[in-house]
mmCIF file of all heavy atoms in Angstrom:
data_model
loop_
_atom_site.group_PDB
_atom_site.id
_atom_site.type_symbol
_atom_site.label_atom_id
_atom_site.label_comp_id
_atom_site.label_asym_id
_atom_site.label_seq_id
_atom_site.Cartn_x
_atom_site.Cartn_y
_atom_site.Cartn_z
ATOM 1 N N PRO Q 1 6.428 -4.846 -7.165
ATOM 2 C CA PRO Q 1 5.965 -6.162 -6.764
ATOM 3 C C PRO Q 1 5.963 -6.316 -5.239
ATOM 4 O O PRO Q 1 6.856 -5.886 -4.591
ATOM 5 C CB PRO Q 1 6.928 -7.117 -7.370
ATOM 6 C CG PRO Q 1 7.836 -6.351 -8.253
ATOM 7 C CD PRO Q 1 7.584 -4.916 -8.013
ATOM 8 N N ARG Q 2 4.936 -6.926 -4.694
ATOM 9 C CA ARG Q 2 4.825 -7.251 -3.268
ATOM 10 C C ARG Q 2 4.689 -5.991 -2.357
ATOM 11 O O ARG Q 2 4.651 -6.174 -1.150
ATOM 12 C CB ARG Q 2 5.953 -8.170 -2.788
ATOM 13 C CG ARG Q 2 5.994 -9.501 -3.472
ATOM 14 C CD ARG Q 2 7.209 -10.323 -3.153
ATOM 15 N NE ARG Q 2 8.457 -9.625 -3.340
ATOM 16 C CZ ARG Q 2 9.101 -9.460 -4.525
ATOM 17 N NH1 ARG Q 2 8.580 -9.906 -5.645
ATOM 18 N NH2 ARG Q 2 10.206 -8.849 -4.579
ATOM 19 N N MET Q 3 4.671 -4.803 -2.926
ATOM 20 C CA MET Q 3 4.589 -3.649 -2.037
ATOM 21 C C MET Q 3 3.314 -3.669 -1.151
ATOM 22 O O MET Q 3 3.383 -3.323 0.036
ATOM 23 C CB MET Q 3 4.585 -2.303 -2.819
ATOM 24 C CG MET Q 3 3.420 -2.023 -3.703
ATOM 25 S SD MET Q 3 3.489 -0.427 -4.515
ATOM 26 C CE MET Q 3 2.858 0.606 -3.250
ATOM 27 N N HIS Q 4 2.208 -4.202 -1.687
ATOM 28 C CA HIS Q 4 0.986 -4.284 -0.931
ATOM 29 C C HIS Q 4 1.035 -5.318 0.212
ATOM 30 O O HIS Q 4 0.142 -5.314 1.065
ATOM 31 C CB HIS Q 4 -0.188 -4.586 -1.853
ATOM 32 C CG HIS Q 4 -0.041 -5.809 -2.640
ATOM 33 N ND1 HIS Q 4 0.770 -5.908 -3.732
ATOM 34 C CD2 HIS Q 4 -0.623 -7.061 -2.451
ATOM 35 C CE1 HIS Q 4 0.700 -7.161 -4.183
ATOM 36 N NE2 HIS Q 4 -0.088 -7.839 -3.438
ATOM 37 N N GLU Q 5 2.053 -6.152 0.208
ATOM 38 C CA GLU Q 5 2.238 -7.132 1.275
ATOM 39 C C GLU Q 5 3.148 -6.649 2.399
ATOM 40 O O GLU Q 5 3.377 -7.340 3.362
ATOM 41 C CB GLU Q 5 2.858 -8.405 0.689
ATOM 42 C CG GLU Q 5 2.031 -9.094 -0.393
ATOM 43 C CD GLU Q 5 2.788 -10.198 -1.123
ATOM 44 O OE1 GLU Q 5 3.952 -10.452 -0.784
ATOM 45 O OE2 GLU Q 5 2.195 -10.743 -2.052
ATOM 46 N N ARG Q 6 3.705 -5.465 2.213
ATOM 47 C CA ARG Q 6 4.767 -4.997 3.101
ATOM 48 C C ARG Q 6 4.329 -3.739 3.888
ATOM 49 O O ARG Q 6 4.137 -2.662 3.309
ATOM 50 C CB ARG Q 6 6.045 -4.706 2.305
ATOM 51 C CG ARG Q 6 6.551 -5.938 1.683
ATOM 52 C CD ARG Q 6 7.763 -5.717 0.857
ATOM 53 N NE ARG Q 6 8.326 -6.993 0.448
ATOM 54 C CZ ARG Q 6 9.195 -7.129 -0.505
ATOM 55 N NH1 ARG Q 6 9.554 -6.092 -1.251
ATOM 56 N NH2 ARG Q 6 9.701 -8.382 -0.816
ATOM 57 N N GLY Q 7 4.162 -3.984 5.178
ATOM 58 C CA GLY Q 7 3.783 -2.846 6.065
ATOM 59 C C GLY Q 7 4.733 -1.686 6.007
ATOM 60 O O GLY Q 7 4.304 -0.524 6.097
ATOM 61 N N PHE Q 8 6.027 -1.948 5.847
ATOM 62 C CA PHE Q 8 7.008 -0.888 5.828
ATOM 63 C C PHE Q 8 6.843 0.036 4.630
ATOM 64 O O PHE Q 8 7.349 1.150 4.607
ATOM 65 C CB PHE Q 8 8.426 -1.417 5.930
ATOM 66 C CG PHE Q 8 8.936 -2.196 4.779
ATOM 67 C CD1 PHE Q 8 9.436 -1.582 3.630
ATOM 68 C CD2 PHE Q 8 8.910 -3.579 4.775
ATOM 69 C CE1 PHE Q 8 9.932 -2.330 2.542
ATOM 70 C CE2 PHE Q 8 9.368 -4.337 3.691
ATOM 71 C CZ PHE Q 8 9.848 -3.701 2.600
ATOM 72 N N VAL Q 9 6.085 -0.403 3.621
ATOM 73 C CA VAL Q 9 5.765 0.415 2.454
ATOM 74 C C VAL Q 9 4.357 1.026 2.620
ATOM 75 O O VAL Q 9 4.140 2.194 2.465
ATOM 76 C CB VAL Q 9 5.799 -0.372 1.128
ATOM 77 C CG1 VAL Q 9 5.236 0.433 -0.042
ATOM 78 C CG2 VAL Q 9 7.175 -0.875 0.833
ATOM 79 N N MET Q 10 3.414 0.173 3.015
ATOM 80 C CA MET Q 10 2.009 0.616 3.028
ATOM 81 C C MET Q 10 1.662 1.590 4.133
ATOM 82 O O MET Q 10 0.884 2.482 3.974
ATOM 83 C CB MET Q 10 1.086 -0.620 3.112
ATOM 84 C CG MET Q 10 1.187 -1.561 1.912
ATOM 85 S SD MET Q 10 1.145 -0.749 0.262
ATOM 86 C CE MET Q 10 -0.557 -0.171 0.286
ATOM 87 N N VAL Q 11 2.364 1.481 5.291
ATOM 88 C CA VAL Q 11 2.087 2.440 6.368
ATOM 89 C C VAL Q 11 2.464 3.854 5.949
ATOM 90 O O VAL Q 11 1.638 4.779 6.052
ATOM 91 C CB VAL Q 11 2.769 2.025 7.673
ATOM 92 C CG1 VAL Q 11 2.762 3.128 8.722
ATOM 93 C CG2 VAL Q 11 2.137 0.772 8.263
ATOM 94 N N PRO Q 12 3.706 4.096 5.501
ATOM 95 C CA PRO Q 12 4.039 5.506 5.101
ATOM 96 C C PRO Q 12 3.283 5.925 3.860
ATOM 97 O O PRO Q 12 2.946 7.106 3.660
ATOM 98 C CB PRO Q 12 5.516 5.478 4.916
ATOM 99 C CG PRO Q 12 5.952 4.049 4.836
ATOM 100 C CD PRO Q 12 4.921 3.250 5.475
ATOM 101 N N LEU Q 13 2.990 4.956 2.898
ATOM 102 C CA LEU Q 13 2.230 5.353 1.726
ATOM 103 C C LEU Q 13 0.855 5.783 2.091
ATOM 104 O O LEU Q 13 0.341 6.823 1.612
ATOM 105 C CB LEU Q 13 2.192 4.147 0.717
ATOM 106 C CG LEU Q 13 1.343 4.418 -0.535
ATOM 107 C CD1 LEU Q 13 1.932 5.499 -1.377
ATOM 108 C CD2 LEU Q 13 1.222 3.109 -1.349
ATOM 109 N N ALA Q 14 0.166 5.031 2.956
ATOM 110 C CA ALA Q 14 -1.198 5.366 3.348
ATOM 111 C C ALA Q 14 -1.183 6.703 4.120
ATOM 112 O O ALA Q 14 -2.180 7.471 4.086
ATOM 113 C CB ALA Q 14 -1.778 4.247 4.200
ATOM 114 N N GLU Q 15 -0.115 6.983 4.840
ATOM 115 C CA GLU Q 15 -0.014 8.307 5.514
ATOM 116 C C GLU Q 15 -0.047 9.431 4.509
ATOM 117 O O GLU Q 15 -0.676 10.456 4.766
ATOM 118 C CB GLU Q 15 1.299 8.325 6.331
ATOM 119 C CG GLU Q 15 1.528 9.659 7.020
ATOM 120 C CD GLU Q 15 2.884 9.766 7.699
ATOM 121 O OE1 GLU Q 15 3.407 8.741 8.149
ATOM 122 O OE2 GLU Q 15 3.427 10.868 7.791
ATOM 123 N N LEU Q 16 0.592 9.256 3.394
ATOM 124 C CA LEU Q 16 0.620 10.277 2.345
ATOM 125 C C LEU Q 16 -0.679 10.363 1.540
ATOM 126 O O LEU Q 16 -1.193 11.411 1.267
ATOM 127 C CB LEU Q 16 1.778 10.083 1.385
ATOM 128 C CG LEU Q 16 3.159 10.324 1.896
ATOM 129 C CD1 LEU Q 16 4.218 10.150 0.819
ATOM 130 C CD2 LEU Q 16 3.299 11.690 2.482
ATOM 131 N N ASP Q 17 -1.222 9.199 1.165
ATOM 132 C CA ASP Q 17 -2.403 9.127 0.355
ATOM 133 C C ASP Q 17 -3.133 7.784 0.544
ATOM 134 O O ASP Q 17 -2.802 6.821 -0.144
ATOM 135 C CB ASP Q 17 -2.098 9.342 -1.142
ATOM 136 C CG ASP Q 17 -3.316 9.475 -1.978
ATOM 137 O OD1 ASP Q 17 -4.418 9.087 -1.541
ATOM 138 O OD2 ASP Q 17 -3.222 9.874 -3.153
ATOM 139 N N SER Q 18 -4.013 7.706 1.520
ATOM 140 C CA SER Q 18 -4.663 6.461 1.844
ATOM 141 C C SER Q 18 -5.566 5.965 0.728
ATOM 142 O O SER Q 18 -5.893 4.795 0.648
ATOM 143 C CB SER Q 18 -5.458 6.576 3.147
ATOM 144 O OG SER Q 18 -6.507 7.528 3.017
ATOM 145 N N GLY Q 19 -5.946 6.863 -0.198
ATOM 146 C CA GLY Q 19 -6.843 6.489 -1.254
ATOM 147 C C GLY Q 19 -6.135 6.116 -2.583
ATOM 148 O O GLY Q 19 -6.826 5.728 -3.567
ATOM 149 N N VAL Q 20 -4.839 6.155 -2.610
ATOM 150 C CA VAL Q 20 -4.119 5.830 -3.814
ATOM 151 C C VAL Q 20 -4.340 4.371 -4.199
ATOM 152 O O VAL Q 20 -4.321 3.509 -3.294
ATOM 153 C CB VAL Q 20 -2.621 6.197 -3.748
ATOM 154 C CG1 VAL Q 20 -1.836 5.278 -2.782
ATOM 155 C CG2 VAL Q 20 -1.953 6.164 -5.126
ATOM 156 N N SER Q 21 -4.504 4.088 -5.474
ATOM 157 C CA SER Q 21 -4.789 2.701 -5.903
ATOM 158 C C SER Q 21 -3.540 1.915 -6.095
ATOM 159 O O SER Q 21 -2.646 2.334 -6.755
ATOM 160 C CB SER Q 21 -5.601 2.807 -7.227
ATOM 161 O OG SER Q 21 -5.878 1.497 -7.708
ATOM 162 N N VAL Q 22 -3.595 0.731 -5.508
ATOM 163 C CA VAL Q 22 -2.466 -0.257 -5.630
ATOM 164 C C VAL Q 22 -3.096 -1.554 -5.961
ATOM 165 O O VAL Q 22 -3.761 -2.184 -5.150
ATOM 166 C CB VAL Q 22 -1.663 -0.354 -4.294
ATOM 167 C CG1 VAL Q 22 -0.577 -1.356 -4.416
ATOM 168 C CG2 VAL Q 22 -1.111 1.022 -3.854
ATOM 169 N N ALA Q 23 -2.894 -2.043 -7.256
ATOM 170 C CA ALA Q 23 -3.381 -3.332 -7.640
ATOM 171 C C ALA Q 23 -4.841 -3.568 -7.291
ATOM 172 O O ALA Q 23 -5.229 -4.617 -6.767
ATOM 173 C CB ALA Q 23 -2.522 -4.441 -7.062
ATOM 174 N N GLY Q 24 -5.683 -2.542 -7.584
ATOM 175 C CA GLY Q 24 -7.115 -2.708 -7.478
ATOM 176 C C GLY Q 24 -7.706 -2.418 -6.124
ATOM 177 O O GLY Q 24 -8.958 -2.484 -5.966
ATOM 178 N N LYS Q 25 -6.930 -2.062 -5.144
ATOM 179 C CA LYS Q 25 -7.445 -1.664 -3.808
ATOM 180 C C LYS Q 25 -6.687 -0.401 -3.395
ATOM 181 O O LYS Q 25 -5.623 -0.094 -3.907
ATOM 182 C CB LYS Q 25 -7.189 -2.766 -2.799
ATOM 183 C CG LYS Q 25 -8.010 -4.009 -3.037
ATOM 184 C CD LYS Q 25 -7.568 -5.214 -2.155
ATOM 185 C CE LYS Q 25 -7.830 -5.086 -0.725
ATOM 186 N NZ LYS Q 25 -7.518 -6.335 -0.017
ATOM 187 N N THR Q 26 -7.310 0.358 -2.466
ATOM 188 C CA THR Q 26 -6.580 1.515 -1.988
ATOM 189 C C THR Q 26 -5.520 1.118 -0.966
ATOM 190 O O THR Q 26 -5.552 0.010 -0.423
ATOM 191 C CB THR Q 26 -7.559 2.465 -1.241
ATOM 192 O OG1 THR Q 26 -8.028 1.837 -0.040
ATOM 193 C CG2 THR Q 26 -8.743 2.890 -2.149
ATOM 194 N N ALA Q 27 -4.594 2.077 -0.709
ATOM 195 C CA ALA Q 27 -3.555 1.805 0.269
ATOM 196 C C ALA Q 27 -4.169 1.479 1.587
ATOM 197 O O ALA Q 27 -3.720 0.568 2.335
ATOM 198 C CB ALA Q 27 -2.600 2.988 0.350
ATOM 199 N N ALA Q 28 -5.208 2.214 2.000
ATOM 200 C CA ALA Q 28 -5.891 1.909 3.278
ATOM 201 C C ALA Q 28 -6.491 0.528 3.339
ATOM 202 O O ALA Q 28 -6.410 -0.119 4.333
ATOM 203 C CB ALA Q 28 -6.922 3.042 3.502
ATOM 204 N N GLU Q 29 -7.051 0.071 2.241
ATOM 205 C CA GLU Q 29 -7.667 -1.246 2.210
ATOM 206 C C GLU Q 29 -6.586 -2.317 2.331
ATOM 207 O O GLU Q 29 -6.736 -3.316 3.096
ATOM 208 C CB GLU Q 29 -8.467 -1.487 0.905
ATOM 209 C CG GLU Q 29 -9.757 -0.646 0.904
ATOM 210 C CD GLU Q 29 -10.407 -0.698 -0.460
ATOM 211 O OE1 GLU Q 29 -9.700 -0.779 -1.535
ATOM 212 O OE2 GLU Q 29 -11.641 -0.497 -0.521
ATOM 213 N N TRP Q 30 -5.490 -2.138 1.651
ATOM 214 C CA TRP Q 30 -4.361 -3.092 1.819
ATOM 215 C C TRP Q 30 -3.839 -3.104 3.203
ATOM 216 O O TRP Q 30 -3.521 -4.159 3.816
ATOM 217 C CB TRP Q 30 -3.233 -2.787 0.837
ATOM 218 C CG TRP Q 30 -3.442 -3.196 -0.584
ATOM 219 C CD1 TRP Q 30 -3.607 -2.376 -1.681
ATOM 220 C CD2 TRP Q 30 -3.599 -4.558 -1.074
ATOM 221 N NE1 TRP Q 30 -3.740 -3.104 -2.785
ATOM 222 C CE2 TRP Q 30 -3.811 -4.447 -2.479
ATOM 223 C CE3 TRP Q 30 -3.521 -5.789 -0.483
ATOM 224 C CZ2 TRP Q 30 -3.960 -5.531 -3.281
ATOM 225 C CZ3 TRP Q 30 -3.761 -6.896 -1.305
ATOM 226 C CH2 TRP Q 30 -3.920 -6.805 -2.695
#
């Protein structure tokens, strides 16, 4: 929950896989 609202999660996640799907959008889109 709320991971897509948190830069401290999304920045390192997008570094690993910017195209991974999170709640209907990619990490890069979030």
